[in-house]
Amino acid sequence: MQQILVVEDESVIRTALRRLLERSNYEVSEAGSVQQAEAEFNFEDFDLIISDLRLPGAPGTDLIKKAGDVPVLIMTSYASLRSAVDSMRMGAVDYIAKPFDHADMISAVERIIADHPTARAEREKESQRRASNAAGITGIIGNCPAMLTLFEHIERFAPTESTVLVLGETGTGKELVARSVHQRSSRAEKTLISVNCAAIPDTLIESELFGYEKGAFTGANTSRMGLIEAADGGTLFLDEIGELPMEAQARLLRFIQEGEIRRIGSVHSRKVNVRLICATHRNLQQLSAEGQFRQDLYYRINVLRLSLPPLRERGKDILHLAESMVQSQVQKLGRPAMQLAPKAIQAITTYQWPGNVRELEHAIERAVVLSSGTEIDNESLGIDLELVNINRIRGQEGIAATPAPRTRSASEPQEDLSLEDYFQRFVLEHQDSMSETELAQKLGVSRKCLWERRQRFGIPRSKAGNTPRRRKTAAQS
């Protein structure tokens, strides 16, 4: 939908023009002056600006330079040839006289927008193109800028043979990204072998990755192929590579450099053709600086890097993911159609999700199982909406949930409070300056909930007017 900004000081004309444009499926914003338009809007967000010539403070033609590449249509009740020519000379794309014919106005708007593609329109086309590419990424849902960038990088990286390093917090879906890279590569028909380096004991990791010959150690009764060799011709995904022991790191480095492996207990090397994808939630650069991860290995695997944003930074993606997961779980369990209640939506979009997509998936699965009706509420999700709101208020006031330890004086308030402690402190500190309604709104709870918590914590309600007024003395009279 195209965006149009109308700058007109007469509210009757401004409203009439907005309704006319909205009936033609344009999205319209309004301003009463050049100054207001400049203060409240970013002109690059619009496809067209329609402005009156004579405005309080500054003429509408001032918008022409300020708007940059956005076309400006000037309208005026002073339908003289001179004012029209002057406006066009200053850069206006067209000129229309008031009172204007509705059909003429719509025709002019359609023609100008068609002839003058703006930066916003180009961004929309690019966003649609990237969203279309994203639709081909199997199993990953997302439309926020960070995810669209990720999809674009997957498209570029997948056809290459370069090593890929996937970075992201636990539960963000790093293995899904690795599978997407493999499926869009020339090795898609070959094997993808996934290895969780953190799940294999240090004493077994080398034999699991590189294999061993019969008699190499006690219990090696037969020769065994390693996982790297098993991935020959395909892709090897090493998840949580930051947990790999130093000895295994040295052997892995040789495999990356030479493209060959040697089984434990063997004197012969084998050439292998394997595309390597690694993933970690740890800071490998910091680990290598601290000597806990080989620096040369870090440089070898940090060729093409894909970064997965945490769920809390993905905006509306959270709700889209939740709704998709609800439908998936409903079909899986054979339940009737279900939807998220308003409180559940509020809880999902305000909770911080430290476990990211994995935590959200488990919460949705639990909610679908526990809910008996057609709506899922926040309680079945296991999210205490009141505590989430209180925690959000704490964050806004700069009070950390787990502050770094430091020396405090005896008069300083304790900041490492539980949420219930914080509730009590907030009420006691603000009840003299706020009404009960204001307190409840600040804490994100109802007045009834505020009253119930007062009763539970034994916090008396501060009543205005309880302090006795001092009598006037005779002198004061």
Side-chain angles (χ1 to χ4, degrees):
M1 185 178 290
Q2 282 93 6
Q3 310 276 332
I4 298 177
L5 174 62
V6 174
V7 185
E8 166 64 64
D9 58 323
E10 295 186 30
S11 60
V12 174
I13 297 176
R14 191 169 66 239
T15 302
L17 183 54
R18 175 176 59 79
R19 289 175 179 171
L20 170 66
L21 293 169
E22 286 178 344
R23 284 198 299 271
S24 298
N25 297 320
Y26 295 105
E27 190 167 327
V28 182
S29 301
E30 302 176 27
S33 66
V34 173
Q35 292 82 358
Q36 182 187 358
E38 194 173 8
E40 296 183 5
F41 302 104
N42 179 6
F43 296 143
E44 290 185 357
D45 293 338
F46 296 95
D47 296 283
L48 173 65
I49 297 174
I50 302 175
S51 175
D52 191 12
L53 179 61
R54 297 177 181 268
L55 292 168
T61 50
D62 278 14
L63 288 166
I64 295 171
K65 289 184 179 180
K66 298 176 186 293
D69 295 332
V70 180
V72 178
L73 171 63
I74 294 293
M75 56 182 182
T76 180
S77 56
Y78 299 89
S80 67
L81 180 61
R82 179 165 183 169
S83 59
V85 171
D86 289 344
S87 298
M88 300 292 281
R89 279 178 179 169
M90 296 178 73
V93 292
D94 208 343
Y95 171 97
I96 193 166
K98 294 190 296 186
F100 48 79
D101 182 77
H102 286 189
D104 290 344
M105 173 61 79
I106 295 300
S107 176
V109 168
E110 290 176 349
R111 174 174 47 79
I112 292 169
I113 290 179
D115 293 344
H116 297 80
T118 61
R120 194 199 76 84
E122 293 299 322
R123 289 197 302 270
E124 284 291 326
K125 288 181 181 177
E126 177 63 14
S127 177
Q128 290 173 6
R129 183 188 68 79
R130 294 167 77 183
S132 176
N133 289 341
I137 305 296
T138 308
I140 307 177
I141 298 173
N143 199 34
C144 68
M147 292 301 291
L148 292 177
T149 299
L150 174 70
F151 297 146
E152 184 176 344
H153 287 172
I154 290 175
E155 289 282 348
R156 291 184 181 181
F157 295 173
T160 72
E161 292 295 311
S162 301
T163 300
V164 177
L165 178 61
V166 185
L167 303 176
E169 294 181 8
T170 299
T172 48
K174 296 187 288 295
E175 185 168 356
L176 278 178
V177 170
R179 289 186 179 279
S180 296
V181 172
H182 171 72
Q183 289 166 1
R184 304 178 83 79
S185 73
S186 59
R187 300 170 181 263
E189 301 301 320
K190 303 293 184 178
T191 305
L192 169 67
I193 291 185
S194 300
V195 183
N196 188 337
C197 299
I200 303 174
D202 292 357
T203 54
L204 298 178
I205 187 70
E206 287 188 65
S207 60
E208 287 290 319
L209 289 177
F210 300 95
Y212 52 84
E213 295 290 350
K214 180 179 178 180
F217 49 82
T218 304
N221 299 322
T222 59
S223 298
R224 180 178 175 183
M225 179 188 294
L227 294 172
I228 296 177
E229 193 175 347
D232 192 13
T235 305
L236 176 68
F237 173 53
L238 295 181
D239 196 9
E240 300 302 347
I241 194 172
E243 311 300 327
L244 204 63
M246 296 295 283
E247 296 80 3
Q249 290 180 31
R251 292 179 66 100
L252 183 64
L253 180 63
R254 177 168 178 78
F255 150 65
I256 296 173
Q257 290 175 336
E258 307 298 335
E260 62 182 28
I261 60 155
R262 189 171 70 242
R263 295 182 182 180
I264 297 173
S266 174
V267 295
H268 301 291
S269 295
R270 289 176 168 83
K271 283 286 184 181
V272 288
N273 177 19
V274 176
R275 195 317 176 48
L276 184 62
I277 302 176
C278 305
T280 183
H281 71 283
R282 304 183 69 182
N283 187 334
L284 293 185
Q285 188 172 13
Q286 182 180 344
L287 290 178
S288 63
E290 295 171 353
Q292 298 180 45
F293 193 86
R294 289 184 65 106
Q295 204 166 48
D296 47 4
L297 179 58
Y298 170 65
Y299 294 142
R300 283 290 182 177
I301 64 175
N302 186 29
V303 181
L304 302 178
R305 186 162 51 188
L306 294 172
S307 296
L308 265 168
L311 190 56
R312 59 185 172 276
E313 294 178 6
R314 290 179 55 181
K316 294 181 180 178
D317 279 1
I318 299 177
L319 191 55
H320 297 326
L321 275 165
E323 290 172 342
S324 175
M325 290 173 180
V326 169
Q327 301 308 317
S328 176
Q329 288 297 327
V330 162
Q331 292 176 6
K332 181 180 176 181
L333 298 173
R335 303 284 294 276
M338 302 179 78
Q339 61 182 5
L340 297 167
K343 281 194 174 182
I345 293 174
Q346 183 184 356
I348 286 170
T349 53
T350 54
Y351 182 57
Q352 289 297 297
W353 299 107
N356 293 294
V357 180
R358 185 180 294 121
E359 183 185 6
L360 174 62
E361 186 176 16
H362 293 165
I364 293 294
E365 182 178 357
R366 177 174 60 249
V368 171
V369 171
L370 293 177
S371 300
S372 55
T374 59
E375 277 197 337
I376 295 173
D377 59 23
N378 62 294
E379 292 181 359
S380 59
L381 285 167
I383 301 174
D384 188 332
L385 191 55
E386 295 168 7
L387 294 184
V388 169
N389 286 331
I390 294 170
N391 201 23
R392 176 174 52 82
I393 299 297
R394 291 177 68 178
Q396 290 173 353
E397 295 199 347
I399 300 176
T402 54
R406 63 183 183 89
T407 305
R408 297 190 183 95
S409 65
S411 60
E412 280 186 284
Q414 295 288 324
E415 293 191 348
D416 52 344
L417 304 172
S418 69
L419 293 178
E420 293 191 347
D421 291 335
Y422 176 75
F423 180 94
Q424 296 179 61
R425 199 184 86 175
F426 188 89
V427 171
L428 289 169
E429 286 183 357
H430 296 89
Q431 63 181 354
D432 292 334
S433 58
M434 293 183 183
S435 66
E436 290 294 285
T437 300
E438 290 172 329
L439 275 175
Q441 288 175 345
K442 280 287 185 182
L443 289 167
V445 299
S446 64
R447 286 193 57 171
K448 179 183 178 183
C449 176
L450 176 61
W451 179 83
E452 289 174 347
R453 291 199 171 214
R454 278 187 180 279
Q455 302 303 309
R456 190 195 315 168
F457 299 139
I459 305 174
R461 179 175 176 181
S462 176
K463 295 182 179 179
N466 282 353
T467 306
R469 299 178 62 186
R470 191 175 59 181
R471 292 184 179 180
K472 292 184 178 180
T473 62
Q476 290 173 322
S477 302

